[in-house]
Amino acid sequence: MCGIVGYVGPRQATPILVGGLRRLEYRGYDSAGLAVLDPRTGKLGISRSVGKLVELERALERQPLPGHVGIGHTRWATHGRPSEANAHPHSVNGVAVVHNGIFENYLELKRRLQAAGREFSSETDTEIVAHLIDEALGAGAPTLVEALRVALSQVVGAYALVVVSERHPDEIVAAKNASPLVIGLGNGEMFLASDVPAMLEHTRDVVFLEEGEVVELRAAGFKLSNLAGAPITRPSRRILWDAVQAEKNGYPHFMLKEIHEQPRAIADTLRGRLQPETSDVDLDGYELDPRSLRRVVLVACGTSFHAGLIGKFMIESLARVPCEVDLASEFRYRDPVIGPNDLLIAISQSGETADTLAAVKEARAHGCRVLAISNVVDSAIPRISEATVYTHAGPEIGVASTKCFTAQLAALALIAIHMGRRSGHLKAPEAARLITELAAIPARMTTALSALGDLKDVAARYRDARDFLFIGRGTSFPIALEGALKLKEISYIHAEGYAAGEMKHGPIALVDDGVPVVVLAPRGPHYDKIISNLVQVRARNGRVIAVGTEGDTQLADMAECVLWVPDVSPLMQPFLTVLPLQIMSYAIAVARGNDVDQPRNLAKSVTVE
Ligand code: F6R
């Protein structure tokens, strides 16, 4: 996601802030900016640029920002396209803010502020907070931290929020809810950042903010309190990671970090879109009435294609609209029968994949409507689509997609519920149940991830296998395909995913005591059938690794190894059943000594055919 830095102390802030932002570059961003309080004029100097940090540095050469108190930001667009106006800091009457996260109720607050005569200069949700703080200061808030508290009492959402103000020039105030923020302790100077690497060259003594905490930073020290103003004391921690480990938040690889970021990625993708009061889903204001549609065609490549296969289950079962799923590379060349009554849903994490882009162009040429699902705001596919449901997974650095996959599932579930409500097929009580279940998925994923552990023992057992089979039924079939893809991508072991019912039509010939067969067997409508498939594999001496629902004692006796996941309804199972397969692939690849984050022959964004 976005990067935040802050500095207060005797040194010039600008080089420290730019250096900190450079340390966060690896996370990806599309624009950057600084706000520094100029002690000569008492005014805030602000500089913002689109593109790489070097653009900001050029702007700072032209117009330097002197001063000892400042904040900086690299933005990864979520609300509003990448542009100078949307880049942070956002400022209003001498109050400047930078923000990571999403304010869910920003439209409602923006309308109220506009009605009160306030004007906005960006499309972001962040700018409202600068107004709220300015409003609170104008209404007599005695301190900046008090004004921040007044503002926070009005917002709903996730934030790491950092503020400086001309009216309180010696301090920075900040607050955290769901997005990370960490204080760095210097000698007569203080640092603040969204991530440890940003300040590692200045200090290793840090204090991590917890949820609902507010901090006031001055050169001499910091004061931590909760939202109600009660003081909090917390000892600092010494960071022993090196710079590279710090970029990975202490994880040995980005892929593992991203696997563990999935609960947050899903929560951010759902944030502000689930509407439990009306048992509905708001697709950021986009209205999709399926009654005018003949059918939906989902197109994508690789892992995103597997998300599309699950999207078909979701949309067909909740909205009862016929769906097809196609590989973008096939769709674009097969002279598809599509027209104005069809909706193409193009799924692409990067938003730049050449085949998916070409499929969208082909569909548009036939007058077909196009909705995109992407993780990159304003990338090529969203730019030529009628609307985009963005996933808010944050930049994915590991080449093998993990958190973007489950965030795509979350986006598809949102679209399916939205369409289901409008098709009339999904009644309010069932929608309410699904919304509650979806909202609980991040917590279920956290539980599953901690229960699964590192699976090093499983990796040690199967790392030398030459071939793997993955089988599943229903929504577990695409997960079998995804499990096989993850394994082959990073471990270089040959792996095939199959619909379990196909086993006896060919693949079962491969089974012997040298081939591990991963059987996706969560409890649900296909359970008995998949158990029959499992038995057939065992009868041929196959080595079964099962993925099963916690508490299934029958399964425990039938497999060489069982990877347990919490119980959820069948449509939601893919969010959980994919987790052990991601971790197992990762653990096997590490055990084989492979370059997990940059596997051979693969690129993160495939912009050529
Ligand atoms: C697999 C993987 C790829 C991508 C595929 C599509 O781990 O990452 O299979 O899913 O190249 O990429 P996007 O989603 O960017 O269109």
Side-chain angles (χ1 to χ4, degrees):
M1 298 284 265
C2 316
I4 286 180
V5 292
Y7 175 77
V8 46
R11 291 193 270 168
Q12 283 296 325
T14 297
I16 295 174
L17 297 174
V18 173
L21 292 180
R22 189 161 301 297
R23 282 290 184 191
L24 300 181
E25 273 196 303
Y26 71 94
R27 301 168 59 83
Y29 62 100
D30 48 56
S31 50
L34 296 190
V36 179
L37 282 157
D38 188 335
R40 300 165 310 179
T41 59
K43 295 284 172 208
L44 270 174
I46 294 187
S47 188
R48 301 183 293 182
S49 331
V50 178
K52 292 291 158 199
L53 266 182
V54 64
E55 301 300 334
L56 180 66
E57 285 175 306
R58 283 193 192 122
L60 289 166
E61 265 166 36
R62 289 192 298 271
Q63 197 190 354
L65 298 182
H68 310 281
V69 181
I71 57 180
H73 192 261
T74 41
R75 175 170 187 253
W76 166 269
T78 54
H79 285 85
R81 70 210 155 81
S83 67
E84 195 174 315
N86 289 335
H88 301 209
H90 291 283
S91 68
V92 175
N93 297 330
V95 172
V97 301
V98 295
H99 164 222
N100 287 355
I102 300 161
F103 292 121
E104 292 175 29
N105 59 340
Y106 85 102
L107 279 177
E108 181 189 323
L109 288 168
K110 191 168 179 173
R111 278 195 282 270
R112 175 182 74 69
L113 290 160
Q114 278 169 329
R118 287 180 172 266
E119 284 174 13
F120 286 79
S121 53
S122 78
E123 303 159 293
T124 66
D125 53 339
T126 302
E127 195 183 352
I128 54 141
V129 187
H131 279 282
L132 293 175
I133 295 172
D134 176 54
E135 189 179 60
L137 287 172
T143 57
L144 189 55
V145 74
E146 215 30 68
L148 173 64
R149 284 202 180 92
V150 172
L152 293 180
S153 67
Q154 300 171 69
V155 298
V156 177
Y159 50 80
L161 185 69
V162 184
V163 190
V164 286
S165 161
E166 290 172 2
R167 279 162 272 184
H168 298 272
D170 301 323
E171 61 177 328
I172 297 176
V173 299
K176 172 202 154 55
N177 182 40
S179 295
L181 205 53
V182 55
I183 307 164
L185 315 184
N187 193 2
E189 57 184 357
M190 300 296 284
F191 306 84
L192 189 71
S194 51
D195 306 82
V196 170
M199 44 199 191
L200 219 46
E201 68 180 289
H202 304 293
T203 179
R204 292 188 163 267
D205 295 317
V206 304
V207 175
F208 287 93
L209 266 73
E210 304 279 350
E211 305 312 329
E213 289 183 353
V214 173
V215 66
E216 297 157 73
L217 285 183
R218 293 189 182 78
F222 71 96
K223 256 197 241 168
L224 202 56
S225 54
N226 66 15
L227 287 176
I232 294 170
T233 44
R234 176 163 317 124
S236 63
R237 264 180 61 183
R238 180 146 269 246
I239 296 291
L240 300 172
W241 307 327
D242 62 29
V244 175
Q245 281 175 315
E247 286 182 354
K248 295 171 186 156
N249 210 7
Y251 288 101
H253 297 98
F254 283 112
M255 183 180 173
L256 190 60
K257 172 175 175 267
E258 287 158 4
I259 287 174
H260 285 272
E261 277 175 352
Q262 290 180 99
R264 204 261 318 130
I266 307 303
D268 283 352
T269 301
L270 299 179
R271 200 178 304 286
R273 290 165 169 170
L274 297 176
Q275 311 277 298
E277 325 73 49
T278 49
S279 304
D280 200 2
V281 161
D282 177 3
L283 297 176
D284 310 332
Y286 177 64
E287 270 302 311
L288 185 54
D289 188 340
R291 285 172 299 188
S292 58
L293 293 179
R294 185 172 58 164
R295 79 194 153 140
V296 171
V297 183
L298 297 119
V299 295
C301 304
T303 288
S304 300
F305 172 72
H306 300 152
L309 292 171
I310 294 165
K312 172 182 161 82
F313 276 93
M314 291 170 165
I315 296 171
E316 288 195 337
S317 88
L318 302 184
R320 303 305 295 164
V321 180
C323 285
E324 267 176 43
V325 196
D326 216 338
L327 291 163
S329 52
E330 290 295 315
F331 176 88
R332 63 185 286 197
Y333 293 120
R334 76 168 159 83
D335 192 12
V337 184
I338 41 166
N341 296 332
D342 299 319
L343 173 74
L344 186 99
I345 302 185
I347 311 170
S348 173
Q349 170 276 126
S350 62
E352 303 285 349
T353 299
D355 282 322
T356 314
L357 185 61
V360 170
K361 287 182 181 159
E362 175 74 18
R364 295 234 85 155
H366 285 79
C368 182
R369 297 177 61 185
V370 178
L371 173 66
I373 296 176
S374 178
N375 199 44
V376 182
V377 171
D378 226 22
S379 47
I381 292 167
R383 282 204 304 273
I384 58 165
S385 302
E386 159 180 322
T388 303
V389 176
Y390 284 107
T391 51
H392 296 301
E396 191 175 63
I397 296 169
V399 164
S401 187
T402 52
K403 64 175 180 172
C404 283
F405 172 70
T406 45
Q408 287 167 347
L409 296 184
L412 286 160
L414 290 169
I415 293 168
I417 297 173
H418 178 96
M419 289 174 78
R421 292 298 285 135
R422 279 146 194 78
S423 74
H425 180 74
L426 181 62
K427 304 290 180 233
E430 176 60 3
R433 189 195 67 70
L434 284 164
I435 285 171
T436 307
E437 194 176 17
L438 203 48
I441 287 293
R444 293 263 193 288
M445 290 176 111
T446 304
T447 312
L449 287 167
S450 75
L452 284 161
D454 59 18
L455 299 186
K456 275 191 185 150
D457 50 341
V458 177
R461 208 154 156 185
Y462 299 104
R463 54 171 276 180
D464 295 322
R466 230 191 43 194
D467 307 282
F468 261 74
L469 283 174
F470 289 72
I471 60 172
R473 287 172 177 261
T475 53
S476 289
F477 165 45
I479 294 298
L481 295 176
E482 176 58 9
L485 179 63
K486 275 307 71 99
L487 187 69
K488 61 188 143 200
E489 277 183 292
I490 57 171
S491 75
Y492 317 142
I493 295 176
H494 169 245
E496 300 274 356
Y498 269 99
E502 279 289 292
M503 280 299 276
K504 52 186 158 314
H505 300 290
I508 203 159
L510 292 172
V511 174
D512 64 20
D513 60 4
V515 181
V517 183
V518 179
V519 182
L520 286 138
R523 283 240 180 249
H526 305 290
Y527 181 76
D528 291 339
K529 295 266 180 238
I530 193 83
I531 292 297
S532 313
N533 297 124
L534 187 158
V535 170
Q536 287 156 12
V537 170
R538 288 231 316 180
R540 279 134 190 109
N541 295 326
R543 305 173 66 185
V544 174
I545 304 169
V547 174
T549 307
E550 275 160 6
D552 181 350
T553 45
Q554 178 188 354
L555 194 59
D557 296 333
M558 300 179 87
E560 199 171 272
C561 157
V562 188
L563 307 173
W564 300 110
V565 292
D567 193 12
V568 288
S569 69
L571 267 192
M572 304 290 164
Q573 281 169 355
F575 286 103
L576 298 168
T577 48
V578 76
L579 301 177
L581 306 190
Q582 293 170 341
I583 300 173
M584 182 180 78
S585 301
Y586 169 80
I588 292 177
V590 170
R592 289 166 68 100
N594 294 353
D595 182 350
V596 175
D597 284 333
Q598 288 183 320
R600 69 185 184 202
N601 307 339
L602 296 178
K604 186 69 195 160
S605 185
V606 187
T607 51
V608 289
E609 207 184 320

